[in-house]
Amino acid sequence: MLDAVSLNERVSRLPLLRESPLKADFSASQGCGCGRRSLSVLSPILAYRTTDAPPEMSAPSSAAPPARFLVLFDFDETIIGENSDHAAVRTLPDPRLPAWLTDSYREGQYNEHTQKILAYMADQGVSKETIHAAVEKIPPAPGVLDLFQFLRSHRRDFELVVVSDANTYFIETWLQHAGVRDLFRKIFTNPGSFDASGRLVLLPFHSHSCPRCPDNMCKQAILREYLTCREKERGGVPFQRVFYVGDGANDVCPTQALGPLDTAFARRDFPMHKLLLEMQQSDKFKANMVPWVTGEDIVDSFRKILEER
C-alpha cells in the first residue's frame, strides 16, 4: 500500500491522467453523432452514447425560434470544483490505493484505469449509496451556479451541452442534485451504471481516429458531428456562435473546431489555458480565448454578446 505522501502525490496528478498532453499538430478528426441513447455505429471507426434531457425537462418548445448560441461545458473542474473520481476514491475505508493499482495506468487509457479503481472500491465494500452521497456533495466551481442562473434566464438564446470524460452516473447525479439538469440538451460522456453486484461499471464513450486524445473520447469529433446534426435538425440554420467552457488538456482538441466568431473559455492557469496561450500564435487556433476564474467572468462575456443584438 502507498504511504500518505505517495498517495497525495499520485492523487494530485490524477486530473491530468485523463488529459493527454496536446502540443502536437491539430487537425480535424472524424465526427460523432448527436441524439441517440443506445450504442450506434456511425462509421467504421466510430460509435457513441449520449444522454438526452428527459422530455418533462425540455423547455423551450420546438415551436420557439432555435437558440442562437451553443455552449459546451466540460464537467470535472469546470462545472464542479474538483475531479469527480477523487471524490469517489475518498469514500474508501482506507483511501490509500495500492501501488499495483496506481501504477497500472497507461497513457491514453484513463477510462480503463478508472474501471479498475471502481472494481477495487466495490471489493472494499463501497456502496452505491456512499458514492451517490459523495458525488452530490462535490462543490460547484466558483460562480458556476450564478452562470447557470443567467443561462436559465436566457434559455431561448443558449443551447447547452456537456462534453466530459467523466461518466453518466456522476454527471447526472450532480446535475440533478444541483437542480440544473433541465438546462442541458445533451450529455456526451462515458456510460456508467451499477451492475447487480453493486459495482459501478464504465464503458468507453466511442472509438475514434484522433491520435492526440484518450482512446475512449475525442471531444473535437463529438463537437463537429453535433454541429452537423443540429444544423440539419434546425432546418439548415447553424448556430451564430459556439462557446466551449473547459479547464483541462483534453479540452484543447475541441477548440480546433471553433471559428473566428467563437470563444474558448479556459479556466485561468489550468492546462487548457496554458496550452491555448502557446497556440494563440498558430493559425490552427482561430477562435477567441477568454480566461475565467469564476462563472461571473463568463456571464460578463455573454452579457456583452447579447447587447450586440
Side-chain angles (χ1 to χ4, degrees), residues 94 123 142 153 194 236 255 273 279 281 291:
D94 181 352
D123 291 342
S153 67
F194 284 86
T255 68
H273 180 218
M279 295 178 61
Q281 305 304 317

Side-chain angles (χ1 to χ4, degrees), residues 2 9 43 85 87 92 99 104 135 147 173-174 183-184 202 222 266 269 290:
L2 295 174
E9 290 175 350
S43 73
D85 293 337
L92 282 163
S104 68
V135 171
L147 170 58
T173 296
W174 194 92
L183 292 178
F184 294 92
L202 301 188
I222 295 168
D269 295 331
V290 175

Side-chain angles (χ1 to χ4, degrees), residues 239-270:
F239 292 101
Q240 293 179 18
R241 296 185 185 182
V242 178
F243 306 97
Y244 188 97
V245 186
D247 70 281
N250 67 346
D251 293 315
V252 173
C253 194
T255 68
Q256 308 312 292
L258 302 181
L261 294 178
D262 305 328
T263 300
F265 290 101
R267 193 169 181 184
R268 186 180 291 278
D269 295 331
F270 279 65

